[in-house]
Amino acid sequence: MALRNVIVIGSGPAGCTAAIYAARAGLEPLLVAGLLQGGQLTQSSGVENWPGAHHFPSGFELMESLLEHVRKFDVEILQDSVSTLTREDGVFSLHMAGGEVLTARSVIAATGSSARYLGIPGEDRFRGSGISACATCDGFFFRKKRVVVIGGGNTAVTDALYLAGLGAKTSLVHRRNEFRCEKILTDKLMSAAGEGRISLHLSKVPLEFVGGESLEGVRIRDTVTGEESVLATDGVFEAVGHVPNTGYLEGLLELDRGYIPLAGDPEHATATAVPGLFAAGDVANARYQQAVVAAGSGCMAALDAEHYLSML
Ligand code: NAP
């Protein structure tokens, strides 16, 4: 395959925006979309904070429209993922999971992050058959059943509200007695709890998933009294954070707790320690993990790549 100017890896808000800007700059980018085209935002039940989208689209709808925007600029989209990224003599080689090897002068890494799992006993046994990390994907199966959501961030609270809205008998288990989500979500949660639509189990640490043929409950411990109990449930939705998708970068640059460190160049904010490698979105940002920030940094990465290529 021909040597590309720029390859964008990842098709979430960061990758799509980078592809749009790179295409408009005449760089003829290739977008490696990964296996989940549109990224993790496609799994969000509703997006209320994308400026201008005041009809609150689902994450899937929003990403479909972003991808359509990318296609409008004739960007080639490859449905594959990168296993390893290397660089030699100023040229990047992208070794694809499908076996192909792509080459480019510059790369924009916008691979986002994936749901983290707790790693407690019983999880492996019931993951995919009772335990999920995607309420919008699997919530439908639990409409009239009991579900437990674990976590206290934006995802956990959004998921709990979504599941309760589907008619599931919803409990929220959180290890502290305060939430780290936006106030608007805490307010909605408290109002749902007040109406008896969500039951809150605060200061409770999940210890183990229990069951026979199928999942039957979560063993939890009260962090104040130390008392243990089993919360009976048909399904569990884990919302305990995310891990950056950076495995393909091992050996190319040193990561910071799994995230891509930016070089700190004030003129080219998305530059990394590797010349020609730029990073955008959640994969390089542990702090502001918001779709609109990801999109903005995707724009910056495309501008930085354009400048880098112009200097070669
Ligand atoms: P998060 O903010 O990192 O929250 C993870 C939650 O899981 C925290 O409440 C944490 O508890 C809990 N947790 C972590 N490890 C645990 C463990 N071992 N046992 C029990 N509980 C555990 O993750 P997130 O909610 O997925 O959000 C990730 C990022 O995406 C955030 O920046 C968030 O703002 C953003 N996001 C934004 C929106 C939106 O804009 N509407 C929607 C979704 C996500 P502690 O609180 O005690 O640490």
Side-chain angles (χ1 to χ4, degrees), residues 47-57 61-62 65 292:
V47 182
E48 295 188 2
N49 50 13
W50 183 268
H54 52 79
H55 65 296
F56 301 161
E61 189 188 342
L62 182 64
S65 124
V292 66

Side-chain angles (χ1 to χ4, degrees), residues 8-16 31-36 38-40 80-83 85 94 107-114 243-249 255 258-260 277-284 294:
V8 179
I9 316 174
S11 55
C16 285
L31 179 72
V32 177
L35 300 182
L36 182 62
Q40 62 166 325
D80 200 346
S81 52
V82 180
S83 300
L85 179 66
L94 293 82
V107 167
I108 296 174
T111 39
S113 56
S114 300
V243 282
N245 297 320
T246 46
Y248 63 99
L249 292 169
L255 300 169
Y259 290 91
I260 303 175
L277 176 66
F278 303 90
D282 289 5
V283 77

